[in-house]
Amino acid sequence: MKKDAQIEANYQVAKEKYASVGVDTDKALDQLQNISLSLHCWQTDDVTGFENAGGSLTGGIQATGNYPGKARTIAEVRQDIEKVKSLLGGDHRLSLHAIYGDFGGQKVDRDQIEPKHFQSWIDWAKENNMKLDFNSSSFSHPKSGDQSLSHRDKGIRDFWIEHTIRSRRIADEMGKQQGSKACHNLWVHDGMKDVTVDRLLYRQNLKDSLDKIFANKFENVKDAVECKLFGTGLESFTVGSHEFYMGYAVQNGLMATLDLGHFHPTEEIYDKISSLLLYTDELLLHVSRPVRWDSDHVVILNESVAMLAQEIVRANALGRVNIGLDYFDASINRIGAYIIGARATQKAFLMAMLEPIAKLREYEANEQYFQRLALLEECKALPWADVFDYFCLKNNVAVGVDFITEIETYEKEVTGKR
């Protein structure tokens, strides 16, 4: 096809331009091919899940918008994920929350979930060449309130301890059956709306709960704990702060989860990567886009995402960082949101891998700071987009804006009928 030939020709020109600054584009493409994003199932249905149909979100979580076509069943969620997969180059994972179990229409409380409730997900993932990750779910439940694992009531703490242990057991079964360790992420919304005078007590309770949860190791699980600055309705105090979980992760050999929206608006998490990697073997990322607060906007190729990818690549840490997506926008086509965010993340990593890092390091070591800055600026104008187009062509997925038409067609044929 004429268009394919043009994409290949553009790539050859780009390859030569990058070679002139010491960059091997073929090597960068091989690296990008091996980056597996962990797609978040909750973008398809606005974090509703299948435990409590029609229930409202609680725990500082909010999905805004009412665009038509929301997935209503497990079959529809899977259908949407398969469509997303068909529009992304490379092989990717899927991250499930505990509320997305296949409960067969039965009421199964969260302290009773078992691997059998996710076996159909494991089977489906195998059929679709995907690996699974997992998350315990502490929100949108009668016993969640403002606290869960840090609650003053031991009975409530015990309920959530049991839920999280069972969630880790499910992740272990996933990892075992798929031959690849499943990341299990623990995030709880625990906090208070107003002035809090007994912060130490709540953090002691949370630490004690975590100690019980992680008392047993599961060999097929990568455990992670996720901090947050604040939650909606819980603005004054968050029990699981960055300092709390960073200390706990380092002390207990766990991964720290860094979510782009879980810090102060002026704070960039890319600078935390090199520090944490000195003390922990691996990290888990939740790539999101905060706008004024942890609003989980669709990821775009902005400076925060670009700097995050740069730092990981510059630190030679691609094998030590697990990359998950975490946003849920219900104001636009949900599949379109998925693809915009996933491709933006892939583009950021490709751009980082196309940096002439050897020359930049040489300049830095020789204190040639003008040269370093000049080369970094010139790299911004190099034709990385032609390299990404070629990546899509090689993977037989829509190139450039072509994915817009594919999603519009999918909406007419599938989501528009829901």
Side-chain angles (χ1 to χ4, degrees):
M1 294 174 61
K2 184 177 180 180
K3 184 176 180 180
D4 292 356
Q6 186 61 57
I7 292 169
E8 292 180 2
N10 291 346
Y11 174 69
Q12 291 305 317
V13 173
K15 184 175 181 177
E16 292 177 9
K17 288 185 177 181
Y18 275 105
S20 71
V21 293
V23 174
D24 184 342
T25 56
D26 289 338
K27 180 180 177 181
L29 286 171
D30 288 341
Q31 287 180 300
L32 184 60
Q33 192 71 39
N34 291 321
I35 290 180
S36 292
L37 305 178
S38 189
L39 306 173
H40 54 312
C41 74
W42 48 97
Q43 168 57 29
T44 63
D45 75 334
D46 313 336
V47 209
T48 300
F50 307 111
E51 175 195 86
N52 182 26
S56 59
L57 280 172
T58 66
I61 297 176
Q62 183 179 1
T64 56
N66 57 357
Y67 193 88
K70 168 183 171 179
R72 302 159 299 178
T73 64
I74 289 180
E76 290 180 351
V77 168
R78 291 173 182 169
Q79 184 180 33
D80 288 351
I81 297 295
E82 289 170 20
K83 184 60 181 178
V84 170
K85 184 176 181 292
S86 75
L87 293 169
L88 292 177
D91 294 324
H92 302 287
R93 306 173 71 93
L94 179 66
S95 185
L96 291 171
H97 251 287
I99 56 175
Y100 286 81
D102 190 350
F103 302 117
Q106 301 298 310
K107 175 64 177 177
V108 180
D109 211 347
R110 295 192 202 174
D111 64 342
Q112 298 298 316
I113 58 172
E114 299 179 49
K116 68 181 182 181
H117 299 123
F118 294 86
Q119 186 59 51
S120 71
W121 278 109
I122 297 171
D123 297 338
W124 171 86
K126 286 181 179 179
E127 293 170 1
N128 287 275
N129 191 33
M130 298 187 82
K131 303 292 194 299
L132 297 174
D133 295 313
F134 202 65
N135 308 261
S136 54
S137 304
S138 69
F139 50 87
S140 302
H141 187 278
K143 290 186 178 180
S144 58
D146 288 347
Q147 293 93 37
S148 57
L149 290 174
S150 68
H151 205 285
R152 287 176 177 267
D153 186 327
K154 182 178 181 298
I156 291 179
R157 292 202 308 275
D158 287 346
F159 176 89
W160 291 111
I161 288 169
E162 179 65 21
H163 165 70
T164 314
I165 291 172
R166 285 172 175 261
S167 293
R168 293 180 66 233
R169 189 172 294 125
I170 290 165
D172 184 61
E173 184 62 27
M174 289 175 170
K176 179 182 177 181
Q177 291 193 39
Q178 66 194 13
S180 173
K181 289 186 177 182
C183 292
H184 178 271
N185 187 53
L186 185 157
W187 171 77
V188 293
H189 58 278
D190 296 32
M192 285 197 172
K193 180 178 178 62
D194 217 325
V195 177
T196 311
V197 299
D198 220 346
R199 293 173 178 237
L200 183 60
L201 171 68
Y202 292 109
R203 286 183 169 140
Q204 286 173 331
N205 285 349
L206 179 55
K207 182 180 182 302
D208 181 68
S209 294
L210 295 176
D211 289 344
K212 291 180 172 66
I213 289 166
F214 295 114
N216 295 317
K217 298 296 182 183
F218 292 110
E219 61 178 314
N220 298 298
V221 176
K222 294 181 181 182
D223 281 302
V225 287
E226 181 178 4
C227 67
K228 192 169 186 178
L229 182 63
F230 74 94
T232 305
L234 304 169
E235 293 87 359
S236 293
F237 173 53
T238 295
V239 185
S241 65
H242 175 56
E243 293 77 13
F244 176 90
Y245 277 129
M246 181 174 64
Y248 196 87
V250 170
Q251 187 178 63
N252 293 279
L254 307 178
M255 294 190 293
T257 300
L258 301 178
D259 185 306
L260 271 72
H262 284 195
F263 295 87
H264 190 277
T266 62
E267 190 175 12
E268 295 287 355
I269 75 168
Y270 77 92
D271 191 41
K272 305 179 188 301
I273 300 293
S274 57
S275 295
L276 280 167
L277 286 176
L278 292 175
Y279 303 104
T280 59
D281 292 334
E282 294 187 42
L283 298 174
L284 177 61
L285 298 180
H286 276 183
V287 185
S288 185
R289 178 166 59 107
V291 177
R292 294 188 171 86
W293 62 291
D294 181 36
S295 50
D296 291 296
H297 281 59
V298 178
V299 171
I300 59 174
L301 186 55
N302 60 14
E303 192 173 47
S304 294
V305 175
M307 290 190 298
L308 179 65
Q310 284 173 345
E311 186 60 28
I312 293 167
V313 173
R314 291 171 181 175
N316 296 318
L318 284 170
R320 299 176 60 192
V321 177
N322 302 276
I323 308 162
L325 304 181
D326 186 7
Y327 53 87
F328 31 100
D329 189 336
S331 68
I332 62 175
N333 182 290
R334 292 169 182 81
I335 312 305
Y338 241 136
I339 300 303
I340 292 169
R343 286 197 177 199
T345 304
Q346 287 184 313
K347 290 172 182 176
F349 276 94
L350 177 62
M351 292 172 69
M353 292 182 292
L354 289 171
E355 275 194 338
I357 189 64
K359 192 64 178 177
L360 289 165
R361 285 181 176 143
E362 178 186 326
Y363 283 150
E364 187 164 292
N366 294 330
E367 299 183 1
Q368 294 174 284
Y369 300 140
F370 147 68
Q371 291 89 336
R372 179 186 63 186
L373 185 59
L375 183 55
L376 284 169
E377 284 299 295
E378 289 304 307
C379 285
K380 294 176 181 178
L382 288 173
W384 63 266
D386 290 331
V387 181
F388 187 75
D389 283 350
Y390 184 67
F391 171 76
C392 292
L393 180 66
K394 282 181 58 180
N395 280 274
N396 196 32
V397 300
V399 177
V401 297
D402 289 352
F403 79 87
I404 297 175
T405 302
E406 284 212 30
I407 291 171
E408 288 174 340
T409 301
Y410 184 73
E411 182 173 16
K412 291 177 183 177
E413 296 177 350
V414 179
T415 60
K417 298 178 182 179
R418 292 176 182 169

